[in-house]
């Protein structure tokens, strides 16, 4: 989006290398001035408003809709229903690839979950469309709803997460448990949670013949484009998606969901541009969520406090019509050096929208259970929780035996513990009080998240005016891609950041892959890096093969690109500017493409993960049971830090989410109807400012030569892991009460006085 | 959304006249009513906006020592009125513990008194709810009800009144001034909110068309200023309704409790005055034992209406704590985290 007016000289720019500098967000000014155009801010001429009517039952069939009443309402233009809708090119139930999930786009009258779209009213105003949706007054044939972790017969899904094996083991767990001196066997429960991005899912769609213009927040421009293309039977080059800014995604905007498809269908039906925005409560259904889990952990340790076995089983749910399984037990694969490990999953089907990726899917749910269990085990062995973790420090990845590509977790433990003052912790719980008599507790957890890479491509251009451009369809969800990726781009082409036009956020640019799995900076960054190297190589060829250039013949010695000049590596006195090289060669610009991709050989050889250690202090009112976190320190090692400011805020956000997981977040589902009873931000609690204590983030030096060319591991999700367990463990340390059902509630802490 | 008329009368008389048609309701700041309309819970035909009525936005000290608060005074303005906060500190503390700064800036005194329950089934039009639709049933009774009532509930409704403000007001014997079809009248706050019985659809004793014009705190209220606290336990530090709350006010003379006032929030369909507990405390020395005894008396009639037995024990503990805090004396300044068990935590920033 070259028309974006990004700050070209951000604060705190140091001369020289861009990577590593704490630049402020280049889109920050646009955002605080309200000038950043989010999807729903677009109003093409003639645009109509679409409002979804959603099901109030969780299971059954729509038997009637009063379409006439809705249509009769002034301003209503049309009502899209299963009987009146534009055709799709393929059945949306067909899973054309593993990243396609089934969606409800009015293909039948069947209702599979509460808040499922059952009709769309299109009107001249939002108000008319809203009232039209009410006037539809749906009637249903209601069938009993499947609700909760015991809804029915359990089964073992074929895979969990994205293609992970459902069961894994190494060593003999039962023998390890039998031989153990100390054992724990505990069950932990985590609730359903919803992403609740600030910006609701929204789309503005306009058809012009077979050309389709879409404004929509997406974490995966190309995946979305491909899905739209196959659903509507149009060529990729007919579709243009703009997604310059997302008001948060957290996984819920990764893959094409039903509601934006309905927006496109509605636009086709009425032949005009249409805007469809979800209401907050409509986000609790068709756009994914984190499934609930019930996890059983059995752990054994010998007399020295060394693990003998770790058995982690997770029960979760999926929808009645599709498969996604929260890979919670997989959290036990990488952290603790048990000679015998077994992880397994099973599931039941319930009447919900299909659960999907939500910030640290599997890692977050698994981590709070595992870190609680490790804490319980340490206590059973009478060992300090940090000492216990160090005793069981994994030098190689326990489940595979592979060496780590890099692992600075020991330094995280050390630096985090020192900053927190962990050494003053009492082993016994319920020992500390503050001046006001509140119970004080300290807890810790280990953080971990895989260092993933997807596929991406970038295009780099160097121009005769001395400027460059880098193009990549990358996504800024608020995490700072506009800034961090531009920093990588600047270094990649050897120019100052204000001399590189950085284009991202639209589907006509090279595919940046998905902004997910904490892999966007690494993946897009690798593509940018290699595109930069390729364009510099082309430019160098022009110079080193030209006898009029001071760099003539430097082909073997090589050149360095810096500050818009190529410099002979073995003789810095010989150099030439990009502009001079291009002018002499008589070309306006040179361009090249580069890709970023996982390195299968390295993946075969090494286990690749980011790590961290989180320490939390809570205070608990001894009589009233109310809990407040008062201090958190997180030390994280995640490879190279591209922009310390953005990294810190990602880690802050993750730590706050971890605290939220332990103490606040829960979708309350009516056990009979399957409806979510707190589908609003007033009552679906996330921490407010008063809940968030002073946070301290330490980024620990870590150089990883294997993960990718830039050594980046990603920080988007790791902050939740470890943090949730640290808070839960601190609550135990404060009170002596071990709560195994999350979020921790007041009533659980009223048991003692 | 449903079309409705909007009228903005200039005088109280015009307002009462304007609301005298079926489907008409008063609109104050709308922080509750507009949410209910968006959710389809309330579908009025006419909104009578009272926010422009003259003379209802004053806090007055009357000759007899009463404080009269106009119905349009905002929750924030009242809490931050230095004189008021001094004479009725528990009321100010309760106000500041409610909702968020933005909501308190908008919300009015009259609207706060008449805010509807937060029972999720009441808000969810697909659920059966006797309060929303008389005789339809109560889906909360066997549903997700861990925050529902433990006092004064009936089989037809187990909802609670969510107001913080009303709890200390009730303890201090507040009086509500009403303008209705047949002129001006006043009732006690205790008489304003109703228990559900068989008619949970009626929240209050107001007749159709009745406008609250003011709330009055009698002269005796300021006698408690030195020993008044509000305490609210909630599921996050701010911006959450009370799980249970209590207002305690004591008049201490020569080391003995000359008079005690105690009310609970979040436990019943109305703010709950614990008169029997007050009786226990009259004339005794303020000791932990006395407060325990009072707490038991306050909750003798309590019984769970669902998964909420813990609220009874919690309420007892809150009563003891609120009385203890009140006996220790009203702090010179309202804490950074008003009414919170963490009020004393240093480093907290006002929310
Ligand atoms: C997210 C959220 C959190 C909240 N948290 C809390 C909390 O923690 N504690 C708490 O106590 N409250 C809380 N509230 C509720 C808040 O206090 C009320 O919404 C507010 O006080 C209502 O005042 P209002 O002026 O906006 O009333 P409105 O919404 O305008 O009106 C509410 C009702 O009162 C009627 N009404 C208003 N004025 C008069 C009058 N003068 N005479 C007769 N009838 C009248 C209206 O017809 C309507 O039925 C919260 C609200 C929200 C939205
Ligand atoms: S408790 Fe009262 S308000 Fe809630 S559903 Fe039942 S009748 Fe309605």
């Amino acid at each position: 989006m070259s028309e974006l007016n990004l700050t070209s000289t951000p604060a705190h720019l140091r001369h020289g290398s861009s990577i590593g500098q704490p630049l402020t967000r280049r889109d920050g000014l646009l955002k605080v001035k309200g000038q950043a155009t989010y999807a729903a801010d677009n109003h093409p001429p003639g645009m109509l408003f679409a409002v979804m009517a959603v099901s109030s039952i969780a299971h059954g069939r729509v038997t009637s809709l009063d379409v006439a009443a809705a249509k009769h309402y002034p301003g209503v233009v049309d009502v899209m229903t299963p009987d009146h809708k534009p055709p799709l090119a393929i059945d949306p139930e067909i899973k054309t690839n593993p990243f396609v999930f089934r969606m409800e786009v009015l293909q039948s009258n069947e209702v599979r979950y509460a808040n499922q779209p059952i009709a769309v009213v299109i009107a001249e105003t939002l108000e008319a469309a809203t009232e039209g949706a009410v006037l539809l007054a749906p009637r249903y044939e209601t069938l009993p709803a499947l609700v909760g972790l015991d809804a029915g017969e359990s089964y073992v899904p074929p895979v969990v997460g994205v293609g992970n094996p459902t069961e894994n083991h190494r060593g003999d767990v039962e023998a390890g448990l039998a031989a153990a001196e100390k054992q724990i066997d505990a069950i932990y429960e985590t609730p359903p949670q919803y992403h609740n991005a600030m910006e609701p899912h929204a789309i503005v769609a306009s058809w012009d013949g077979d050309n389709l213009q879409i404004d929509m927040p997406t974490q995966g421009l190309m995946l979305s484009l491909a899905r739209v293309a196959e659903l509507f039977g149009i060529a990729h080059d007919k579709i243009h998606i703009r997604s310059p800014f997302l008001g948060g995604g957290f996984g819920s905007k990764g893959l094409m969901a039903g509601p934006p498809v309905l927006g496109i269908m509605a636009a086709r039906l009425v032949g005009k541009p249409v805007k469809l925005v979800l209401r907050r409560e409509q986000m609790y259904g068709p756009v994914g969520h984190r499934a609930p889990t019930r996890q059983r952990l059995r752990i054994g340790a010998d007399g020295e406090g060394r693990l003998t076995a770790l058995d982690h089983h997770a029960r979760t749910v999926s929808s009645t019509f599709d498969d996604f399984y929260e890979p919670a037990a997989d959290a036990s694969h990488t952290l603790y050096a048990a000679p015998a490990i077994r992880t397994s999953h099973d599931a039941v089907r319930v009447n919900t929208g299909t659960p999907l990726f939500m910030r640290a899917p599997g890692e977050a749910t698994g981590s709070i259970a595992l870190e609680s269990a490790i804490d319980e085990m340490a206590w059973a062995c009478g060992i300090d929780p940090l000492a216990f973790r160090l005793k069981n420090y994994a030098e190689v990845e326990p489940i595979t035996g592979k060496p780590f590509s890099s692992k600075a977790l020991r330094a995280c433990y050390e630096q985090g513990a020192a900053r927190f003052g962990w050494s003053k912790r009492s082993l016994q719980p319920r020992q500390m009080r503050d001046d006001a008599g509140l119970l004080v507790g300290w807890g810790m957890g280990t953080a971990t998240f895989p260092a993933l890479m997807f596929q991406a491509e970038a295009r780099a251009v160097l121009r005769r005016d001395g400027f460059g451009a880098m193009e990549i369809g990358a996504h800024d969800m608020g995490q700072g891609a506009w800034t961090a990726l531009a920093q990588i781009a600047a270094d990649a082409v050897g120019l100052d950041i204000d001399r590189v036009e950085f284009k991202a956020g639209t589907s006509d640019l090279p595919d940046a892959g998905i902004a997910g799995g904490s892999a966007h900076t690494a993946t897009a960054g690798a593509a940018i890096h290699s595109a930069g190297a390729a364009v510099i190589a082309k430019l160098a060829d022009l110079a080193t093969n030209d006898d009029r250039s001071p760099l003539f013949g430097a082909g073997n010695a090589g050149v360095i690109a810096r500050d818009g000049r190529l410099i002979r590596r073995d003789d810095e006195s010989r150099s030439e500017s990009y502009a001079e090289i291009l002018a002499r060669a008589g070309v306006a610009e040179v361009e090249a493409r580069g890709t970023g991709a996982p390195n299968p050989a390295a993946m075969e050889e090494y286990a690749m993960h980011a790590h961290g250690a989180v320490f939390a202090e809570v205070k608990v009112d001894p009589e009233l049971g109310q809990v407040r976190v008062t201090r958190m320190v997180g030390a994280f090692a995640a490879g190279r830090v591209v922009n310390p400011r953005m990294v810190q805020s990602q880690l802050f956000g993750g730590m706050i989410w971890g605290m939220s997981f332990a103490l606040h977040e829960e979708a309350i589902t009516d056990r009979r109807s399957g409806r979510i009873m707190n589908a609003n931000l007033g009552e679906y609690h996330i921490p407010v400012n008063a809940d968030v204590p002073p946070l301290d983030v330490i980024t620990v030096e870590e150089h990883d030569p294997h993960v990718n060319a830039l050594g980046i591991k990603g920080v988007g999700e790791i902050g939740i892991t470890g943090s949730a367990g640290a808070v839960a463990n601190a609550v135990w340390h404060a009170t002596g009460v071990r709560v195994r059902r999350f979020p921790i509630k007041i009533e659980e802490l009223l048991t003692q006085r | 959304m449903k079309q409705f008329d909007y009228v903005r009368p200039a005088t109280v008389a015009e307002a009462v006249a304007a609301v005298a048609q079926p489907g008409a309701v008063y609109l104050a700041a709308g922080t509750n009513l507009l949410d209910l309309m968006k959710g389809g819970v309330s579908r009025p035909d006419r909104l009578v906006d009272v926010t422009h009525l003259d003379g209802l936005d004053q806090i007055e000290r009357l000759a007899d020592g009463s404080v009269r608060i106009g119905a349009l005074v905002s929750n924030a303005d009242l809490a931050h009125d230095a004189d008021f906060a001094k004479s009725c500190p528990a009321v100010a503390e309760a106000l500041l513990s409610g909702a968020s700064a933005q909501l308190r800036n908008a919300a009015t005194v009259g609207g706060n008194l008449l805010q509807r329950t937060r029972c999720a089934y009441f808000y969810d039009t697909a659920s059966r709810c006797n309060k929303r639709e008389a005789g339809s049933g109560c889906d909360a009774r066997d549903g997700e009800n861990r925050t529902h009532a433990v006092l004064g509930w009936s089989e037809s409704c187990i909802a609670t009144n969510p107001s913080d403000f009303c709890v200390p007001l009730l303890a201090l014997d507040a009086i509500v001034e009403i303008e209705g079809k047949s002129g001006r009248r006043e009732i006690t706050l205790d008489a304003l909110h109703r228990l559900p019985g068989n008619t949970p659809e009626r929240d209050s004793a107001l007749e159709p068309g009745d406008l609250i014009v003011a709330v009055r705190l009698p002269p005796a209220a300021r006698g408690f200023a030195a020993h008044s606290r509000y305490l609210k336990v909630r599921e996050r530090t701010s911006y959450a309704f009370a799980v249970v709350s209590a207002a305690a006010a004591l008049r201490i003379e020569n080391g003995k409790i000359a008079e005690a006032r105690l009310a609970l929030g979040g436990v019943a369909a109305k703010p709950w005055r614990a008169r029997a507990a007050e009786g226990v405390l009259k004339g005794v020395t303020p000791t932990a034992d006395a407060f325990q005894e009072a707490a038991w008396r306050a909750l003798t009639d309590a019984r769970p209406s669902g998964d909420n037995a813990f609220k009874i024990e919690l309420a007892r503990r809150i009563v003891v704590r609120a009385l203890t805090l009140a006996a220790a004396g009203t702090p010179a300044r309202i804490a950074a985290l008003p009414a919170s068990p963490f009020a004393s935590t240093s480093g907290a920033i006002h929310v």
Side-chain angles (χ1 to χ4, degrees), chain A residues 56 73 126-128 130-131 134-135 279 434 436 438 619-624 626-628 630 663-664 668-672 675 677 681-691 745-747 749-753, chain B residues 1-3 38-39 43 118 120-121 124 126-128 138-146 231-241 243 292 307 310 313-314 317-318 321 337 340-342 344-345 348-349 351:
Chain A
S56 63
Y73 192 77
L126 177 62
E127 290 76 10
T130 305
E131 184 61 12
V134 172
L135 293 173
R279 290 167 64 122
D434 72 359
L438 296 169
K619 293 193 176 177
V620 184
D621 189 292
E623 283 104 30
L624 308 178
Q626 197 175 318
V627 180
R628 183 160 182 259
T630 46
L663 299 180
H664 300 298
I668 297 165
T669 312
D670 182 276
R671 59 198 88 175
R672 303 152 301 176
R675 297 176 56 74
M677 300 313 297
L681 285 179
E683 265 130 306
Y684 181 97
H685 282 182
I686 56 169
V688 295
N689 282 330
D691 293 302
K745 296 203 175 79
I746 286 166
E747 57 263 44
L749 303 175
L750 294 181
T751 50
Q752 277 192 9
R753 303 218 61 168
Chain B
M1 86 196 280
K2 185 187 162 187
Q3 302 264 359
K38 285 186 212 160
R43 288 175 65 80
R118 306 307 287 199
Y121 297 92
D124 176 34
S127 297
R128 293 177 306 161
C138 170
D139 273 344
R141 186 71 181 92
D142 296 312
E144 308 310 314
N145 50 21
R146 69 178 269 281
L231 182 69
K232 172 179 179 182
V233 168
R234 54 203 125 164
E235 304 201 270
R236 60 184 167 192
T237 310
S238 174
Y239 194 40
F241 290 96
V243 177
Q292 291 282 359
D307 296 333
F310 78 97
E313 175 60 19
L314 181 60
R317 296 184 187 188
I318 289 174
R321 179 73 64 81
L337 296 170
S340 167
F342 299 103
S344 61
T345 311
I349 298 156
V351 279

Side-chain angles (χ1 to χ4, degrees), chain A residues 390 393-395 407-415:
Chain A
L390 285 167
Y393 192 86
E395 301 294 350
K407 180 177 177 182
L409 176 57
R410 240 189 215 100
C412 296
Y413 284 141
E414 254 164 48
Q415 294 179 28

Side-chain angles (χ1 to χ4, degrees), chain A residues 48 125 186 216 334 443 470 490:
Chain A
L48 300 177
T125 62
M216 165 181 86
T334 59
M470 186 66 74

Side-chain angles (χ1 to χ4, degrees), chain A residues 512-664:
Chain A
I514 191 166
S518 298
H520 200 43
T521 309
T523 306
I528 289 168
H529 180 74
S530 83
V535 81
I536 293 292
K538 278 197 182 169
L539 185 72
D541 277 352
L542 289 180
T544 56
N545 294 329
D546 185 339
D547 58 9
R548 290 165 298 173
S549 167
L551 297 171
F552 177 62
N556 287 337
V559 295
I560 300 168
R562 192 165 71 214
D563 293 340
R565 302 184 75 77
L566 294 186
I567 305 162
R568 198 177 154 113
R569 194 185 292 274
D570 57 358
D571 179 3
E572 294 223 353
S573 70
R574 292 165 68 179
S575 71
E576 194 172 28
S577 77
Y578 300 175
E580 286 165 328
I581 298 168
L582 291 169
R584 182 156 17 73
V587 291
E589 60 177 47
V590 281
E591 61 117 24
R593 287 176 177 254
T595 56
N599 173 352
M603 285 168 63
E604 190 53 43
E605 189 113 349
Y606 296 104
M608 299 174 178
H609 303 276
H611 291 94
V614 183
F615 299 83
E617 175 183 273
V618 304
K619 293 193 176 177
V620 184
D621 189 292
E623 283 104 30
L624 308 178
Q626 197 175 318
V627 180
R628 183 160 182 259
V629 180
T630 46
R631 206 152 65 84
M632 279 177 103
V633 175
F636 297 92
R640 179 183 312 211
V641 171
V642 175
N643 180 322
R645 185 186 300 269
M646 314 278 135
V647 164
Q648 187 187 49
S649 59
Q650 282 297 296
L651 295 169
F652 280 166
M655 286 163 71
I656 294 167
W657 204 321
M659 165 215 281
S660 183
F661 198 122
L663 299 180
H664 300 298

